[in-house]
Amino acid sequence: MRILLVGAGGVGTAITRIAARRSFFDRMVVADWDLARAEAAVAAVDDPRFAATRVDASDQQGVSALLTEHDCDVLMNATDPRFVMPLFEAALESGTHYLDMAMSLSRPHPERPYEVCGVRLGDEQFARAKEWEASGRLALVGMGVESGLSDVFARYAADELFDEIEEIGVRDGANLTVDGYDFAPSFSIWTTIEECLNPPVVYESERGWFTTPPFSEPEVFDFPEGIGPVECVNVEHEEVLLIPRWVDAKRVTFKYGLGDAFINTLKVLHQLGLDRTEPVSVRSQDGPVKVSPRDVVAACLPDPATLGERMHGKTCAGTWVKGVKDGRPREVYLYHVVDNQWSMREYGSQAVVWQTALNPVTALELIATGAWAGTGVLGPEAFPPLPFLDLLTAHESPWGLREQ
């Protein structure tokens, strides 16, 4: 397998460090708009299978040319969601497979944003499903940790643990702290703002997909392995759009443990208009320049990839499922926990980006061996879950199951 990895930020760099320990691929070309960043990611693994180059992820033709030049079999998208569609289309145009961790962007309903869906996450990609099927190629979308591993857990629960499912609720929580910062997101602030301030989506079988106000339906969820109780709220996320396509459940939700201080900061950014992506005119010594307020926020905050030495604690991604098995009520929480000290010691990557990166590498290995195969635009729950979960364990990153 020959892979073009686009994006050498925190997650992209973690992908190279995880993949370097595996033998399923022959070549990985690491491409980023910042050549120095791509070169640093390659230099860190010291493996002749890796090479660095520069690419503009918004340049569909340039990406297509790169895929052809390096005779790649698959494009691995490790950029933020703004670049999903040009990369997705470049892979289709070039006849390669495609894999991402976040789907094409949503747009709120113009009149009833907190009741009715507008353009949903992934709608633009699923609109191209027939073209992907005709190409004989696979576009595996939403294959990070959440979405990604959480969706694999949902499919596993449906296949192995339940006869009927009342609710699938993805629950994400952590007890991570960052020394020296009052506000330092452990993941891309661009993506964090997008998913936290957009109207959250909920699925109910009798109603379909609908939206609620941001941070709605707070609940306290008790996370395993010492993390403990964390208040979680509704957040827009891909699982709610993916799971109901392949798993029969009466209700699907996604809730994130953000904390009051984090939520208040996001609300202030929104009140000040600093979450907007449309460029505004700003004075500079060279005259007026156009800048995106959200990009300014991102530039002012520390790069999440650099926070590992200052971070302490654990992060947990998981899927809570409630239903019936053999005529009896059952509740379980399937989960994956990463300790930041461990991921930094073993890989030099902080826990959140390492946990995210682990899953697309695992999926690529399954595709390379033929354990996962398909055509069209598919989510993680479209594939058998056991090969994925077994491979996690084989690579010393076990998952857990807790009866509730």
Side-chain angles (χ1 to χ4, degrees):
M1 175 181 276
R2 297 176 65 87
I3 304 162
L4 173 62
L5 170 64
V6 182
V11 175
T13 297
I15 286 173
T16 64
R17 293 172 180 177
I18 295 167
R21 302 189 184 191
R22 305 193 184 184
S23 60
F24 67 88
F25 67 100
D26 304 307
R27 188 72 163 166
M28 182 177 288
V29 179
V30 183
D32 197 279
W33 68 270
D34 183 346
L35 179 59
R37 195 160 67 166
E39 290 175 334
V42 169
V45 297
D46 190 24
D47 185 325
R49 294 177 297 169
F50 292 80
T53 191
R54 185 189 182 280
V55 75
D56 178 350
S58 67
D59 178 7
Q60 179 180 328
Q61 297 306 315
V63 175
S64 293
L66 204 56
L67 287 164
T68 301
E69 176 187 348
H70 292 278
D71 193 26
C72 292
D73 303 297
V74 60
L75 189 161
M76 173 69 242
N77 177 2
T79 65
D80 73 54
R82 287 175 292 180
F83 304 107
V84 163
M85 288 312 295
L87 294 175
F88 178 82
E89 294 290 357
L92 178 60
E93 177 183 329
S94 303
T96 68
H97 300 301
Y98 169 87
L99 193 153
D100 65 30
M101 293 167 278
M103 298 195 299
S104 60
L105 291 170
S106 65
R107 291 189 294 277
H109 190 279
E111 297 168 357
R112 298 162 61 196
Y114 304 134
E115 301 173 54
V116 179
C117 294
V119 175
R120 299 169 301 188
L121 291 169
D123 274 357
E124 290 183 81
Q125 290 173 286
F126 281 111
R128 298 283 274 153
K130 289 183 178 180
E131 287 82 359
W132 275 92
E133 290 173 11
S135 75
R137 297 292 183 266
L138 168 65
L140 175 51
V141 297
M143 190 61 251
V145 60
E146 293 175 334
S147 57
L149 178 56
S150 52
D151 304 69
V152 173
F153 283 149
R155 176 64 186 270
Y156 176 77
D159 287 358
E160 306 290 338
L161 305 179
F162 290 86
D163 299 322
E164 299 177 20
I165 294 177
E166 179 180 334
E167 181 169 353
I168 296 174
V170 180
R171 299 292 183 264
D172 180 304
N175 60 2
L176 294 168
T177 59
V178 183
D179 293 340
Y181 290 100
D182 294 324
F183 184 74
S186 56
F187 204 71
S188 161
I189 187 59
W190 204 100
T191 303
T192 300
I193 289 174
E194 183 73 19
E195 63 189 25
C196 290
L197 292 179
N198 277 351
V201 181
V202 174
Y203 173 83
E204 294 180 356
S205 58
E206 295 183 358
R207 184 175 175 182
W209 286 289
F210 62 94
T211 57
T212 73
F215 316 120
S216 58
E217 299 182 1
E219 68 175 55
V220 175
F221 192 86
D222 187 18
F223 289 92
E225 298 194 21
I227 295 174
V230 178
E231 185 177 76
C232 299
V233 294
N234 278 330
V235 169
E236 181 192 49
H237 233 248
E238 283 86 351
E239 291 95 325
V240 180
L241 285 309
L242 285 171
I243 290 172
R245 296 175 185 268
W246 288 279
V247 177
D248 187 13
K250 294 179 181 178
R251 180 175 165 90
V252 182
T253 58
F254 177 94
K255 294 188 180 183
Y256 199 1
L258 296 171
D260 290 341
F262 198 99
I263 289 173
N264 288 336
T265 299
L266 292 175
K267 287 180 177 179
V268 170
L269 290 175
H270 178 66
Q271 289 166 355
L272 297 176
L274 294 174
D275 60 323
R276 290 184 295 168
T277 58
E278 301 82 5
V280 298
S281 182
V282 177
R283 288 182 297 174
S284 77
Q285 62 182 10
D286 298 320
V289 294
K290 293 281 191 177
V291 296
S292 160
R294 193 183 300 184
D295 286 342
V296 172
V297 172
C300 291
L301 290 172
D303 181 350
T306 67
L307 295 176
E309 297 291 347
R310 295 172 175 263
M311 286 174 61
H312 308 277
K314 299 177 181 179
T315 185
C316 178
T319 304
W320 162 74
V321 187
K322 178 181 179 181
V324 175
K325 178 65 174 179
D326 297 329
R328 297 181 179 180
R330 189 181 194 186
E331 282 186 56
V332 302
Y333 182 59
L334 302 112
Y335 64 89
H336 185 261
V337 173
V338 179
D339 186 308
N340 187 72
Q341 286 183 292
W342 176 86
S343 65
M344 286 298 297
R345 182 177 66 250
E346 292 293 321
Y347 287 87
S349 295
Q350 54 103 321
V352 176
V353 299
W354 186 89
Q355 187 183 45
T356 304
L358 171 67
N359 298 286
V361 175
T362 303
L364 286 171
E365 185 167 352
L366 293 174
I367 293 168
T369 62
W372 275 13
T375 60
V377 181
L378 302 176
E381 49 281 280
F383 298 91
L386 280 173
F388 191 99
L389 297 175
D390 288 345
L391 197 53
L392 284 186
T393 303
H395 287 298
E396 300 181 340
S397 188
W399 54 281
L401 187 157
R402 182 182 69 187
E403 296 282 350
Q404 298 288 86

